[in-house]
Amino acid sequence: FTEGEQREETEGRTEQQSQQEPTSGRDGEATFKIAQVQVPPTCAALLAASRGRGEEQAKNLLALVGPNEIPFKVDSVVELIKNELSQFFYVYQLIMYIIWLWASYLFVGALLLGVAMIAAIAKMVVRRAGQVALAEITAFEATVRVKREGKWTEKSSKDIVPGDVVAVSGNRWPVPCDLAVLSGSAVVD
């Protein structure tokens, strides 16, 4: 679809229609389905809607858009080795070094094979460290104050849905989501 066609297709859809079960594509594979959530477009409209969502509406939205989290899985060591050493560069080098070793260039072949393996191991260690750091960041969860049905309640940050009103103050500022400031002020870097 082009952007215009996609917009036309989704404009007439109601929230209830968007909550239908995922559709199946070819060979029974699940296909991506667009979920539309109505959020006021201006700050003034956001402030006017600052009563918060109802519990039932928030529950339906949570079922529609899923929890406020980024699922991320760290590759196992076997997956790292397989992904790294199955790249064309390493396959080509391995074939060249085997030919060199077969042709009795033992010292040069063994030295270059050692350099390639050290580089591969270093690259896998760096990739693994990056994946672990990313997994820690994406697993962050906080308890936040959310306004539901006009009352402030404590909720997990994973239960925040689009359009929720969240109180951010004092040392409770880390909230893993995008926010718009409705009242008060904030200094950001």
Side-chain angles (χ1 to χ4, degrees):
F1 292 114
T2 64
E3 186 177 314
E5 290 173 339
Q6 190 172 12
R7 193 176 308 122
E8 287 174 13
E9 178 187 333
T10 58
E11 278 178 357
R13 204 179 274 169
T14 64
E15 192 172 296
Q16 185 178 17
Q17 288 171 326
S18 296
Q19 292 179 18
Q20 296 171 351
E21 291 296 315
T23 58
S24 293
R26 288 177 281 172
D27 301 324
E29 294 178 8
T31 56
F32 180 74
K33 188 167 190 168
I34 298 172
Q36 281 194 330
V37 177
Q38 298 300 323
V39 177
T42 64
C43 287
L46 279 171
L47 187 56
S50 66
R51 185 176 179 277
R53 295 203 178 272
E55 282 294 335
E56 189 64 31
Q57 186 183 25
K59 187 174 129 184
N60 290 339
L61 272 174
L62 189 60
L64 178 65
V65 298
N68 180 32
E69 64 181 359
I70 302 172
F72 183 78
K73 180 182 149 282
V74 177
D75 290 341
S76 68
V77 175
V78 174
E79 288 172 324
L80 277 173
I81 292 170
K82 182 187 76 151
N83 291 339
E84 186 66 28
L85 297 182
S86 64
Q87 294 178 13
F88 177 75
F89 177 74
Y90 288 109
V91 172
Y92 170 77
Q93 282 190 327
L94 182 62
I95 291 170
M96 289 296 104
Y97 301 150
I98 289 173
I99 291 171
W100 286 5
L101 291 171
W102 183 265
S104 296
Y105 290 108
L106 300 177
F107 182 73
V108 174
L111 180 66
L112 292 176
L113 181 63
V115 168
M117 289 299 109
I118 290 170
I121 290 169
K123 195 172 174 184
M124 286 185 284
V125 166
V126 168
R127 178 175 288 156
R128 175 78 175 194
Q131 287 181 349
V132 168
L134 189 57
E136 288 174 5
I137 291 169
T138 59
F140 178 76
E141 183 177 1
T143 301
V144 295
R145 292 182 62 213
V146 179
K147 200 173 202 180
R148 295 272 170 90
E149 298 180 358
K151 298 177 184 165
W152 292 104
T153 59
E154 299 275 329
K155 298 279 184 188
S156 166
S157 59
K158 292 187 179 195
D159 295 332
I160 296 174
V161 295
D164 267 344
V165 177
V166 178
V168 180
S169 63
N171 62 353
R172 299 170 61 129
W173 64 270
V175 181
C177 64
D178 294 331
L179 298 171
V181 178
L182 297 178
S183 63
S185 60
V187 177
V188 294
D189 187 2

